[in-house]
């Protein structure tokens, strides 16, 4: 015997096609739900998320893998930008990085810098053969350059 169903099904044998008396459509869903027997459900057992957490005791402590690092890796210093980020929370400090503050707060129209020309990277070579580069306040926004003095 098959379980009760909200659909009326007619079948002649197990090898023949099954035909439904009524076609299933949106309008007939409520009626079919009413015809179906109530779902036999019980009350779920009490549970909290604490029941699924593993106990903290008995876990091994973190291992020290420093002996596997190369001398180069051991000599690396933390990022200067990350260490400088702590100062961004100081009241009254205006950061020129990260797009803060708005370009309207800067009292200049452009910045100029003399940059080295490869392969001459010394300070003296830059003074003699360097290229003068100029970045306008809104150059990047206006599509004149990939760099702007306010970015």
């Amino acid at each position: 015997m098959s379980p009760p169903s909200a659909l009326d099904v007619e079948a002649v044998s197990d090898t023949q096609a099954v035909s439904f008396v009524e076609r299933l459509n949106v309008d007939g869903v409520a009626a079919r739900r009413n015809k179906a027997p109530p779902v036999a459900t019980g009350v779920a057992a009490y549970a909290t998320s604490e029941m699924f957490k593993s106990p903290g005791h008995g876990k091994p402590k973190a291992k020290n893998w420093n002996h596997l690092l190369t001398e180069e890796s051991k000599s690396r210093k933390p990022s200067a930008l990350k260490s400088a980020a702590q100062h961004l929370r100081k009241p009254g400090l205006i950061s020129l990085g990260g797009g803060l503050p708005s370009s309207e707060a800067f009292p200049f129209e452009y910045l100029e810098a003399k940059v080295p020309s490869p392969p001459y990277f010394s300070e003296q070579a830059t003074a003699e053969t360097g290229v003068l580069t100029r970045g306008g306040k809104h150059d990047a926004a206006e599509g004149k350059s990939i760099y702007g003095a306010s970015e």
Side-chain angles (χ1 to χ4, degrees):
M1 180 174 180
S2 65
S5 171
L7 298 174
D8 294 325
V9 180
E10 290 180 2
V12 179
S13 72
D14 61 348
T15 58
Q16 292 180 335
V18 176
S19 62
F20 295 97
V21 176
E22 301 172 26
R23 287 187 54 112
L24 181 61
N25 60 34
V26 176
D27 298 329
V29 171
R32 290 186 181 188
R33 285 185 180 161
N34 290 337
K35 284 178 22 181
V39 179
T41 59
V43 177
Y46 173 78
T48 67
S49 61
E50 296 297 322
M51 297 171 73
F52 299 98
K53 294 180 182 176
S54 62
H57 58 83
K59 287 186 178 180
K61 294 190 177 201
K63 292 185 178 182
N64 184 351
W65 298 99
N66 288 347
H67 65 282
L68 298 176
L69 297 176
T70 64
E71 289 302 316
E72 181 184 358
S73 296
K74 290 177 185 177
S75 67
R76 289 190 176 135
K77 305 287 183 236
S79 167
L81 289 176
K82 286 184 180 178
S83 61
Q86 66 184 343
H87 301 292
L88 293 176
R89 291 185 283 278
K90 290 183 180 176
L93 178 79
I94 297 175
S95 169
L96 299 178
L100 303 171
S102 170
S103 64
E104 296 166 359
F106 298 128
F108 55 81
E109 273 307 305
Y110 65 90
L111 295 175
E112 268 185 350
K114 198 167 202 180
V115 295
S117 181
Y120 310 105
F121 293 104
S122 71
E123 187 175 342
Q124 181 182 356
T126 301
E128 295 170 5
T129 64
V131 178
L132 195 60
T133 305
R134 179 178 173 158
K137 188 173 187 177
H138 301 287
D139 280 0
E142 295 170 356
K144 297 177 183 173
S145 170
I146 60 170
Y147 302 109
S150 63
E151 277 74 32

